[in-house]
Amino acid sequence: NTIGNLTALGALTGTAVRGITISSGTYPLNVNNNKLTTLMANSTNTGVATAASVVGIGVSSGGTVQNILNNTVNNLSNINTASLHRIVGIVTTSGLNKVMNNTVSGLFSSTTSTSANSSSIGILGMLMQSNLVGSEFSNNTISDLRYENPSPTTVQMIGLFVNSNGGFKITKIAMEDGLRFAIREGGR
């Protein structure tokens, strides 16, 4: 599947753009070989995790095995400069997750969020929460996360954030091209 060029410019709290969202079920799940590109919002939505203003792939079901494999997520943005919005490339919030061989790149935000070290951070390449024992995150590439807004003095970006009770495996995660932060006057 290819999903692209989704734009929501409403500048409202309910405005969101999400490429793939799976929110219920307990059966095995496969989200494989998808391309999600150019998802853009001008949103004041302050939701976190799968409810963020822009999400590439969001899985909040509790499947026995949830495979998220070989996906490409790129060019996600929220251009609103006055809100605490969040952008997440790939997020899982429950279940036994195998997240492997995915590429997340080109996330851009103008958030005013100053949250630190939590799922409320403004820009998250990949967010893995409440994963069951046996979950695995490997061979993923995260690159080109960018922030630009003249207002906040402290903004956080995280390539891979894991918030779990343990019992999971993380191997071979590549952070390429660095994370970019800029405080500038004007727009993008």
Side-chain angles (χ1 to χ4, degrees):
N1 299 309
T2 299
I3 300 169
N5 298 315
L6 304 178
T7 304
L9 299 176
L12 303 170
T13 58
T15 301
V17 176
R18 300 185 183 119
I20 295 174
T21 299
I22 299 169
S23 60
S24 64
T26 57
Y27 302 101
L29 167 71
N30 293 302
V31 180
N32 302 339
N33 303 309
N34 298 288
K35 182 177 181 181
L36 297 101
T37 185
T38 315
L39 309 180
M40 184 175 84
N42 179 7
S43 174
T44 59
N45 176 340
T46 59
V48 298
T50 57
S53 66
V54 181
V55 177
I57 298 172
V59 178
S60 60
S61 57
T64 52
V65 176
Q66 300 180 144
N67 295 305
I68 303 169
L69 312 171
N70 305 309
N71 297 289
T72 300
V73 176
N74 67 359
N75 297 326
L76 277 58
S77 62
N78 189 336
I79 59 173
N80 190 288
T81 60
S83 73
L84 304 172
H85 64 263
R86 282 125 191 120
I87 292 179
V88 184
I90 296 176
V91 54
T92 63
T93 61
S94 61
L96 175 63
N97 298 292
K98 303 291 184 180
V99 182
M100 298 185 235
N101 303 312
N102 298 289
T103 299
V104 174
S105 64
L107 276 60
F108 173 84
S109 178
S110 296
T111 185
T112 58
S113 175
T114 57
S115 295
N117 297 318
S118 74
S119 62
S120 296
I121 284 176
I123 305 170
L124 291 160
M126 298 176 86
L127 170 60
M128 307 299 145
Q129 291 188 173
S130 304
N131 298 285
L132 296 177
V133 171
S135 290
E136 182 176 354
F137 316 104
S138 62
N139 297 316
N140 296 294
T141 300
I142 302 166
S143 65
D144 194 22
L145 307 183
R146 296 172 287 137
Y147 167 80
E148 190 175 304
N149 188 314
S151 297
T153 56
T154 58
V155 172
Q156 303 289 326
M157 283 186 257
I158 294 181
L160 171 64
F161 185 84
V162 178
N163 182 15
S164 186
N165 293 327
F168 54 86
K169 179 179 175 183
I170 299 174
T171 57
K172 298 180 185 174
I173 303 295
M175 301 286 179
E176 297 179 348
D177 298 333
L179 308 177
R180 291 187 260 173
F181 175 81
I183 296 177
R184 295 186 187 158
E185 295 296 326
R188 186 171 176 188

